[in-house]
Amino acid sequence: MTVVHMARDRAITTLTLDSPGNRNALSAVLVGELADALTRCGKDGDVRAIVLTHTGNTFCAGADLRDPPHPDALVGLLRQIVELRKPVLARVTGHVRAGGLGLLGACDIAAASTEATFAFTEVRIGVAPAVISLPLLPRTDPRALARYYLTGERFDTAEAVRTGLLTATGDDVDAVLAPILDGLRRASPQALAETKELLTAKVLETFDRDAAELTALSARLFSSAQAHEGMTAFLERRDPAWVV
């Protein structure tokens, strides 16, 4: 069953995450299909920009704990979004958790409707937001990240805009995106590619410098005893043993 669907409208290709059974979690299958779809978009001269969106009430619930992607595959996907020589936009109308926030961080522009919520929940299952920090740390407010990384608190779209995680929010996300997509359609493909390269240079420096270390950290934490307890507790819908 295909979990990433493609559609096109006036040079804008929409990639829709469609895995409602696990709330569009980052499974090995979803990561692979999304990477393949982005590769096809990158090679297609008729694609001006890509919109990444979702079915259901969750944009992405983070890593699929039952079928997680290899950390290298997730790093590769995030880097692919950043490196792609076409703008990638996130269109969010639901909840975003953990690794899903890495997708937002990798996108060039991110818009959400006001019912969306966000949380870095990694610390609550015994791991850290390691790999997803590659696009997030260079682009978002460090004080805000310190709070939400360390506590796992949920926050709303207004806070997400303030911290730089989102570009814009509104009651109707399509109305928010309409002028942005119009601007992209009016822009030269060459100019978009070169301008994106200017904007992402510092982000790619972070990937070059830190990807190996953060991938190793992710693998070490996910294989730890506390992560096992945290993930088991999550799947059993109970508090992990360390909650006081």
Side-chain angles (χ1 to χ4, degrees):
M1 183 179 68
T2 301
V3 296
V4 177
H5 303 289
M6 300 179 67
R8 185 181 300 172
D9 177 37
R10 294 177 54 214
I12 305 296
T13 291
T14 297
L15 302 180
T16 302
L17 307 183
D18 184 22
S19 183
N22 65 358
R23 299 188 302 149
N24 295 319
L26 295 168
S27 64
V29 171
L30 187 145
V31 168
E33 286 192 16
L34 182 54
D36 289 345
L38 289 166
T39 297
R40 292 198 296 274
C41 289
K43 293 177 179 178
D44 189 338
D46 293 329
V47 175
R48 186 70 50 83
I50 298 100
V51 173
L52 181 60
T53 190
H54 61 102
T55 60
N57 67 359
T58 302
F59 173 77
C60 179
D64 186 336
L65 301 183
R66 290 188 167 91
D67 178 31
H70 191 280
D72 288 341
L74 183 53
V75 170
L77 175 64
L78 296 177
R79 179 162 193 146
Q80 184 180 13
I81 294 170
V82 175
E83 279 190 321
L84 197 70
R85 289 179 63 78
K86 302 173 190 284
V88 181
L89 298 79
R91 174 191 176 276
V92 179
T93 60
H95 309 302
V96 193
R97 299 290 183 265
L101 293 162
L103 292 180
L104 293 191
C107 289
D108 303 289
I109 295 169
S113 57
T114 49
E115 67 262 31
T117 67
F118 310 87
F120 294 98
T121 52
E122 288 88 346
V123 292
R124 299 193 178 191
I125 63 165
V127 297
V131 167
I132 65 170
S133 289
L134 292 166
L136 286 167
L137 287 176
R139 284 178 159 169
T140 50
D141 176 65
R143 282 296 191 184
L145 281 188
R147 173 179 177 174
Y148 296 117
Y149 269 22
L150 290 169
T151 67
E153 291 173 89
R154 187 165 56 187
F155 55 100
D156 63 14
T157 56
E159 180 71 348
V161 171
R162 186 192 71 78
T163 62
L165 180 66
L166 286 181
T167 308
T169 185
D171 291 339
D172 182 346
V173 69
D174 293 315
V176 172
L177 282 171
I180 298 171
L181 295 176
D182 181 63
L184 294 173
R185 289 184 171 109
R186 293 173 181 273
S188 147
Q190 170 184 277
L192 288 176
E194 296 298 331
T195 302
K196 175 165 178 174
E197 187 171 340
L198 289 173
L199 292 167
T200 58
K202 295 296 184 183
V203 181
L204 290 173
E205 286 178 10
T206 303
F207 274 83
D208 291 339
R209 185 186 67 237
D210 299 333
E213 180 181 350
L214 292 178
T215 300
L217 173 62
S218 179
R220 176 170 63 81
L221 289 176
F222 268 93
S223 64
S224 68
Q226 287 194 22
H228 176 74
E229 163 61 12
M231 289 186 284
T232 300
F234 175 80
L235 294 172
E236 294 177 352
R237 299 181 181 274
R238 61 173 175 83
D239 284 339
W242 59 74
V243 172
V244 294

